[in-house]
Amino acid sequence: MVTKAPEMDAASVRHAYRRWAPVYDFTFGLVAEAGRKHAVRIINRRKGRVLEVGVGTGLSLSCYGEHLTITGIDLSPEMLAKARDKVERKCLSNVVALHEMDAGALAFPDESFDTVVAMYVMTVVPEPERVMRELERVCAPGGEVILVNHFSQEDGLRAAFERKLAPFADLLGWRPVFGLDRVLVCEDLRLAERRALRPLGLFTMLRFVKEPGFGLGPQLAQAARPPVRATLSEPIRVRVKWQVARTLVHCRRLLDTNYWRSLYRRLQSQLAE
């Protein structure tokens, strides 16, 4: 039985995170800390402009290297107020802007950032496929899109628990049932790394590299190939070859006079007995 989750929209997300904002750092923020730090360590090996989509209360902002230029966006004004307070208190000069913005309609030009990261965002947004295409759009060629997210399982105890929670997605502010296929929608993003993260592999990091035309490559190669005749699968081919060989052996025997002499002698011997 599949449990249908209620549809999420921007208003329900804002409402949920208005409730979460006062306690976020001490609740989900602690659970998600390991995955957040892992993603930032990877980003700190890179250079240039970084866009953090779903910056929330700004828990990751102080972890970025000073050589990076950080822009953050979030849909929740309450979350952003806490993020701005952290930037001011910690004098984070490399954080150049924090905007209230919809991740599904980013107000940035194409190819604006060298790295785009969305941590614990895709299960929250109303249209994750649309958000993925926006992340792809604002990422520069050769840049990276990094996701840290919860992806649901199809079977087992965890899968059953996720299905039980699914009807309460609008109250939780995120979808407990969320498949990996919902983020594998961009033709120019090549999945370069997939890693389960602590705690207990509840979250997964996906690292994509933007390679324009990557998704079209296999299609163009397939179109360029000449049509291939349908072939039998390997086990069937083996059985057919064996049957043909056996038939040829029998035909050779029928044409061999020595075979008939030998058969005649055996019959005579049996009749004599």
Side-chain angles (χ1 to χ4, degrees):
M1 183 180 295
V2 178
T3 306
K4 183 175 176 60
E7 292 295 325
M8 297 179 66
D9 55 24
S12 64
V13 172
R14 282 193 180 96
H15 182 67
Y17 279 88
R18 188 178 300 118
R19 298 194 312 269
W20 277 108
V23 297
Y24 185 88
D25 290 8
F26 310 105
T27 53
F28 186 76
L30 291 177
V31 175
E33 183 177 13
R36 185 171 57 250
K37 287 184 175 179
H38 182 86
V40 172
R41 278 198 300 270
I42 291 174
I43 295 169
N44 282 344
R45 297 200 293 260
R46 297 181 53 75
K47 297 179 181 179
R49 304 152 296 172
V50 176
L51 172 65
E52 182 173 339
V53 175
V55 69
T57 61
L59 287 172
S60 58
L61 293 178
S62 61
C63 301
Y64 289 111
E66 293 182 357
H67 64 289
L68 298 171
T69 302
I70 312 299
T71 300
I73 71 155
D74 204 280
L75 193 62
S76 167
E78 291 79 13
M79 292 281 198
L80 281 172
K82 290 186 171 293
R84 292 187 179 110
D85 181 61
K86 286 185 176 71
V87 170
E88 186 176 347
R89 283 189 293 105
K90 298 181 180 182
C91 300
L92 302 176
S93 59
N94 62 333
V95 180
V96 296
L98 294 173
H99 301 291
E100 183 180 340
M101 194 180 295
D102 183 356
L106 297 175
F108 300 112
D110 295 355
E111 304 175 3
S112 296
F113 299 94
D114 303 291
T115 307
V116 181
V117 57
M119 294 184 277
Y120 314 106
V121 167
M122 304 310 291
T123 52
V124 173
V125 294
E127 299 177 82
E129 295 86 357
R130 181 180 173 186
V131 171
M132 280 301 302
R133 293 188 178 95
E134 280 292 275
L135 305 188
E136 175 192 39
R137 180 183 67 79
V138 300
C139 182
E144 295 189 357
V145 174
I146 297 174
L147 303 183
V148 177
N149 208 76
H150 161 78
F151 296 102
S152 53
Q153 293 186 334
E154 295 184 359
D155 48 34
L157 290 175
R158 182 177 135 188
F161 182 66
E162 288 165 346
R163 287 193 292 270
K164 289 288 186 183
L165 286 178
F168 306 103
D170 54 342
L171 296 175
L172 294 169
W174 55 281
R175 298 181 187 84
V177 175
F178 188 81
L180 181 65
D181 59 309
R182 301 203 67 176
V183 301
L184 303 178
V185 296
C186 297
E187 290 185 345
D188 288 351
L189 294 183
R190 174 177 61 83
L191 181 58
E193 184 180 359
R194 175 181 176 180
R195 181 175 299 190
L197 302 173
R198 294 178 295 171
L200 305 174
L202 291 175
F203 304 106
T204 300
M205 187 203 74
L206 302 178
R207 184 172 63 85
F208 298 89
V209 178
K210 183 171 180 179
E211 297 179 359
F214 166 75
L216 296 176
Q219 299 175 31
L220 294 174
Q222 181 67 28
R225 286 194 197 119
V228 180
R229 291 181 300 173
T231 57
L232 298 174
S233 63
E234 186 66 25
I236 296 176
R237 288 209 309 271
V238 170
R239 288 198 296 271
V240 169
K241 288 180 179 179
W242 181 82
Q243 189 64 44
V244 170
R246 185 178 179 187
T247 302
L248 290 174
V249 169
H250 284 305
C251 290
R252 288 183 62 185
R253 284 181 177 176
L254 292 175
L255 297 174
D256 188 355
T257 55
N258 290 328
Y259 169 77
W260 290 107
R261 290 194 187 105
S262 175
L263 180 62
Y264 176 72
R265 285 195 295 270
R266 285 201 301 272
L267 288 173
Q268 276 189 325
S269 175
Q270 289 177 3
L271 289 173
E273 293 175 358

